[in-house]
Amino acid sequence: MEYPKLYEPGQLNLLFNKREFFICIAQGIYTSVVLFFIPYGVLSHATQSNGVPLADYQTFAVTTATALVIVVSVQIALDMGYWTAINHFFIWGSLGTYFTILFAMHSSILFNIFPKQFHFLGDARNTLGQPVVWLTIALATIICIAPVLAFRFLKLDLKPQLSDTVRYTQLVLQKKRNALGRLGRGRSRRSGYAFAHQEGFGELITSGKNMRLSSLALATFASRHSSSWIETLRRKKHANNTQNTPPTGEDSAASSQGPPLSTSSSAAGEAGQACNEPVLTHSPDDIALSVIRCPEREVGESSTRTVQVNIHLKTSSSRNCIQINCMQVNIHKYRLLYNTGQRVDSVGAQKLILWIDIKRTFPPRRKNGRKQNY
Amino acid sequence: MKNEGEAAKRPDNTAFTQQRLPAWQPILSAGIVIPSFLLIGLAFIGIGIGLFLTSQTIQVWEMDYTGVEKDSPCFRCTILSNQNCTCEVIFSLSTLFTGPVFFYYGLSNYYQNFRKYGVSKDYYQLAGDTGYFKNPEAYCSPYAYDSKKNPIVPCGAIANSIFNDTFELYQIINGTKKQVPLDGKGISWWTDYNIKYRNPSPVNGSFAKSFDGTVKPINWPKPAYELDLTDPNNNGFLNQDFLVWMRRAALPQFRKLYRRITDGDYAAGLPAGNYSLKVHYNYPVLSFDGRKKVVFSNVSWMGGKNDFLGIAYLVVGSLCVIMSVVMLVVYAKFKFSDDDEAR
């Protein structure tokens, strides 16, 4: 339940509704048309290199069927985001099984037993040995897949979904981890199957801002808070189960006119904590951001340090909402809970970086009846 | 409180059961998609140019000889209802037709892919199983038995409708006709000739006797065992023209290989000049508005002339390149506007 927000698209029926169904139907019709008319156009005038025409019924059938299987396999491969050995086995295995069965059915052994049923004798070898046939199959595949690929890439770029952001985050995490030399190859050993998230990413998505790290954020981060808390980190690194989690906040406010409200999100997990050790304050423009570190406390066999992040917006308004986007990297194991009443836990972290992009927007579209108010 | 029972029920801590298998997580990032589109586009354009240029070097010559117009040489064969009409078509080639030259006959508006037509054959008979000679397959009807209830071998509509025009080609040199040798060996699929179609074994040394008790198909002039009396390897069900015809075409306009011109003086091709094609016109197609034609063609590594493939590759390649440029523009525009907003 790391990212509970990821369950939302399923609950709200966003992934398979009437619109998605008709899009699927349209793609199916397009693929069928391509898979018939491309072999039709090519084979109607094609001959083998020994002059025998290729326009016979059985050649046409094998060409179309093979093109179909390959297009479908490529489409499945595009849909798969997490390739374990099992996935490889089944995808390549299904292609191999198709060709095995094809050659078996077109073999002379089966023909001699059942001439009437297996009368495609010699077809597979004859057809699939022609370069023209493979060129046709490659052409049909690209015509079917390229629009899907382009569409998906543009959708990922312009309107990333929550699961895409989370997957990207995990990949960045694992790349940073690999950069530290822990794993020789870029493979994820984290469980990628079930992950959940909380509200922080929801705002990131619905605001339309994508998940790319703002270069400005990177630059400003690197320039400022370098040594002090890193030293603290290094000191604390060897303590068992306790890590420092100094957050750094960097905000980039969008245009600042209008409405706002004074929001402070605080860690209210433990009542009665005396959190008054300010670590950082920053107040450009109309936003005051302060991060306050609360003292450590022991919970069971681990000790945690909580942090309170206060964000004050100086201008006032009565209407619109503020969306707070947050992104973290460089965290080994973490649980980030953001917004009111939640805590940041970080176990074994070297650095915890919080980019807080505060962007004033119009009230988000009421997509599914959800309101986001602060 | 912990006890051994509880620990025993815990699932194994292996990579497989705990879903920790090493995995590859590809993601559609701009750095992969845009260059790959560009690469595919350029590769396709290259292939398309190669295919198109190859296709342009192939020579094709075709002529419709059905005889629909009154002034065509074979018109009189369409109105005469007798057999053995021959007509002569004169044509000329302006340049050398490089060899080996392939001679096709083509039919149009002829639906060999019609379902009922397509299943109308008996595979057992054609594989030489005499048990089925007297009991043709039910699918063969109404070409399974003749009017006197004699079984037909080979039964079925496909066999019955075999193309029976024959051609002779002459080159006209100084007013005399010199015959161009036509080679009909190996024009069908190897598997058809060697495995799929087998002749029945001769009875008492006579091939014709193995067909006793059966009759020839209704529209055939000669029975199967007389298809080629000069060559026993081309007789009966192994007749190459028969095999070429039995391989059904997928489309209503099709060509089938008739002969090759590879021998003698014409091994290098058909030299420029005048030619005369003598047609033994037996096959009626005008009743269903079909057309007959002859086609001469030479081949390359990719087969015959096929402009469609080259042009399709060029079109798809350029579309891929255009798409990659568009995606790059969209990505760059979005990225920079994003950074500007972030400021």
Side-chain angles (χ1 to χ4, degrees), chain A residues 47 51 58 83 119 135 193, chain B residues 19 24 104 196 247 304 313:
Chain A
T47 65
Q58 294 182 347
W83 285 77
H119 58 96
L135 287 172
Y193 309 147
Chain B
Q19 296 188 352
W24 171 51
Y104 302 88
K196 198 165 172 189
R247 181 148 287 283
Y313 263 83

Side-chain angles (χ1 to χ4, degrees), chain A residues 26-318:
Chain A
Q27 187 191 352
I29 292 175
Y30 168 73
T31 305
S32 310
V33 165
V34 167
L35 281 177
F36 178 76
F37 281 103
I38 296 293
Y40 169 85
V42 174
L43 293 179
S44 52
H45 298 297
T47 65
Q48 303 179 17
S49 45
N50 61 358
V52 176
L54 276 177
D56 64 280
Y57 163 75
Q58 294 182 347
T59 308
F60 200 94
V62 166
T63 308
T64 306
T66 308
L68 168 73
V69 168
I70 291 179
V71 164
V72 167
S73 298
V74 172
Q75 178 74 39
I76 290 178
L78 265 185
D79 277 333
M80 280 211 257
Y82 200 81
W83 285 77
T84 62
I86 302 176
N87 296 63
H88 279 287
F89 172 74
F90 276 104
I91 292 294
W92 301 114
S94 90
L95 273 176
T97 310
Y98 166 75
F99 283 109
T100 307
I101 293 183
L102 186 75
F103 278 93
M105 279 178 63
H106 295 187
S107 68
S108 55
I109 304 166
L110 280 174
F111 172 76
N112 286 327
I113 306 173
F114 298 108
K116 186 164 165 239
Q117 277 69 26
F118 293 98
H119 58 96
F120 273 65
L121 174 64
D123 192 19
R125 181 169 305 180
N126 207 309
T127 304
L128 296 179
Q130 302 298 318
V132 174
V133 166
W134 285 109
L135 287 172
T136 312
I137 293 174
L139 182 68
T141 307
I142 293 294
I143 295 182
C144 288
I145 296 293
V148 173
L149 203 58
F151 186 69
R152 276 208 194 164
F153 169 71
L154 287 175
K155 195 158 140 204
L156 200 65
D157 218 37
L158 302 174
K159 264 203 240 179
Q161 299 237 323
L162 184 56
S163 50
D164 302 321
T165 318
V166 173
R167 191 187 299 166
Y168 180 80
T169 311
Q170 290 204 322
L171 268 178
V172 170
L173 235 84
Q174 131 205 345
K175 281 206 175 81
K176 301 280 186 203
R177 200 185 324 136
N178 293 344
L180 294 179
R182 278 212 354 214
L183 285 175
R185 281 177 288 172
R187 289 194 298 184
S188 156
R189 285 201 179 256
R190 262 185 76 81
S191 160
Y193 309 147
F195 38 83
H197 188 66
Q198 64 293 337
E199 292 162 63
F201 277 130
E203 281 68 70
L204 171 69
I205 304 312
T206 51
S207 75
K209 199 160 187 292
N210 70 355
M211 57 201 173
R212 277 193 296 267
L213 303 180
S214 156
S215 54
L216 173 69
L218 258 157
T220 41
F221 159 68
S223 63
R224 260 185 286 139
H225 334 284
S226 46
S227 51
S228 59
W229 59 271
I230 288 186
E231 299 310 315
T232 332
L233 276 180
R234 289 219 183 100
R235 252 186 295 123
K236 293 281 165 92
K237 187 181 160 190
H238 302 293
N240 40 333
N241 294 344
T242 306
Q243 290 297 335
N244 236 359
T245 61
T248 48
E250 202 276 341
D251 56 274
S252 54
S255 60
S256 56
Q257 63 276 58
L261 74 144
S262 179
T263 303
S264 89
S265 83
S266 58
E270 292 73 44
Q273 288 269 343
C275 301
N276 51 12
E277 184 190 336
V279 172
L280 143 79
T281 55
H282 180 61
S283 37
D285 300 333
D286 57 348
I287 296 177
L289 176 78
S290 64
V291 175
I292 302 172
R293 195 191 319 176
C294 309
E296 282 184 48
R297 60 181 179 81
E298 301 276 335
V299 173
E301 50 194 17
S302 67
S303 85
T304 64
R305 177 184 292 273
T306 56
V307 167
Q308 177 176 318
V309 178
N310 294 341
I311 303 172
H312 290 269
L313 298 157
K314 290 183 194 147
T315 58
S316 65
S317 138
S318 57

